[in-house]
């Protein structure tokens, strides 16, 4: 095809090759089998998350070892999950209500939830965290010092999560990363055999 000015709009082979390469580069975010590049911006929220988990375990310890009336582990887990579910629900609706151009109908709020493939995995995660919460209350109710139970539980989750990520999710960790995981496991063992003390009930 030619334009009115007589210019040929057909691409020569070299230009076609370059255009195809650009299209392929835009279509592929990451090379096949390679992990996406993640910036270090995640470190700060990760530290905040770790702090929240630390207080989460401290509060469980306080609730299950209260000198006046220790809470039942199952009841403690239920209360914890109800509070978390309420907070999460409020945040979800607030996010939807403040989204640019978002409609305010209930159908808009809930639309797409059931079609989301992550719902099933979210349910599985809820079951796992529910069991973890109840067991956390049980462990703390046994009089285990928080300085021992928290590093063991959190560090153990790091080790198990890393192994599952490698075997199940096919993620890759460098040699240095695996050395770090082994050091965490060694640290857990040291914390576990430390006699420590139960402390008081302020």
């Amino acid at each position: 095809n030619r334009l009115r000015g007589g210019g040929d709009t057909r691409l020569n082979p070299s230009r076609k090759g370059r255009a195809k390469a650009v299209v392929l580069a835009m279509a592929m975010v990451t090379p096949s089998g390679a992990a996406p590049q993640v910036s270090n911006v995640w470190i700060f929220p990760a530290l905040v998350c770790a702090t929240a988990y630390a207080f989460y375990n401290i509060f469980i310890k306080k609730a299950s070892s209260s000198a006046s009336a220790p809470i039942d582990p199952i009841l403690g887990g239920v209360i914890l999950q109800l509070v978390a579910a309420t907070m999460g629900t409020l945040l979800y609706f607030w996010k939807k209500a403040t989204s640019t151009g978002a409609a305010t109908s209930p159908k808009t709020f809930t639309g797409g939830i059931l079609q989301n493939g992550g719902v099933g995995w979210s349910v599985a995660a809820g079951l796992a965290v529910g069991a973890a919460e109840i067991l956390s209350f049980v462990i703390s109710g046994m009089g285990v010092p928080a300085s021992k139970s928290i590093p063991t539980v959190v560090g153990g989750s790091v080790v198990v999560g890393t192994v599952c990520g490698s075997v199940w999710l096919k993620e890759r960790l460098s040699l240095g990363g695996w050395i770090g995981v082994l050091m965490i496991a060694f640290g857990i063992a040291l914390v576990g055999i430390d006699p420590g003390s139960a402390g008081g009930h302020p």
Side-chain angles (χ1 to χ4, degrees):
N1 297 329
R2 294 180 178 273
L3 296 175
R4 291 181 180 178
D8 193 345
T9 61
R10 291 176 298 179
L11 293 176
N12 59 41
S14 61
R15 289 183 179 179
K16 286 182 179 180
R18 288 195 296 269
K20 185 177 181 180
V22 171
V23 172
L24 289 176
M26 295 176 64
M28 296 186 299
V29 177
T30 57
S32 177
Q37 296 297 321
V38 181
S39 65
N40 292 331
V41 71
W42 65 272
I43 295 178
F44 177 73
L47 293 175
V48 175
C49 180
T51 304
Y53 267 115
F55 281 108
Y56 155 88
N57 284 282
I58 291 293
F59 295 153
I60 286 179
K61 174 66 177 178
K62 296 289 290 182
S64 58
S65 61
S66 174
S68 57
I71 194 168
D72 180 85
I74 298 178
L75 177 60
V78 170
I79 293 175
L80 193 156
Q81 292 180 62
L82 284 175
V83 172
T86 301
M87 183 182 72
T89 301
L90 292 175
L91 286 174
Y92 175 76
F93 280 101
W94 174 81
K95 177 184 176 182
K96 287 294 184 180
T98 57
S99 296
T100 305
T104 57
S105 65
K107 184 176 180 181
T108 302
F109 281 132
T110 58
I113 294 181
L114 296 180
Q115 290 76 25
N116 192 323
V119 170
W121 291 114
S122 298
V123 172
L127 293 174
V129 77
E133 289 165 355
I134 293 174
L135 289 173
S136 295
F137 278 99
V138 171
I139 294 170
S140 295
M142 292 178 177
V144 181
S147 57
K148 293 186 65 173
S149 63
I150 295 175
T152 302
V153 171
V154 176
S157 69
V158 171
V159 175
V160 174
T162 303
V163 173
C164 288
S166 177
V167 176
W168 188 9
L169 303 180
K170 307 302 181 184
E171 297 175 345
R172 300 194 177 198
L173 201 63
S174 66
L175 177 60
W178 282 113
I179 292 176
V181 173
L182 291 176
M183 293 176 66
I184 293 174
F186 181 69
I188 294 172
L190 291 179
V191 171
I193 63 177
D194 185 89
S197 62
H201 300 282

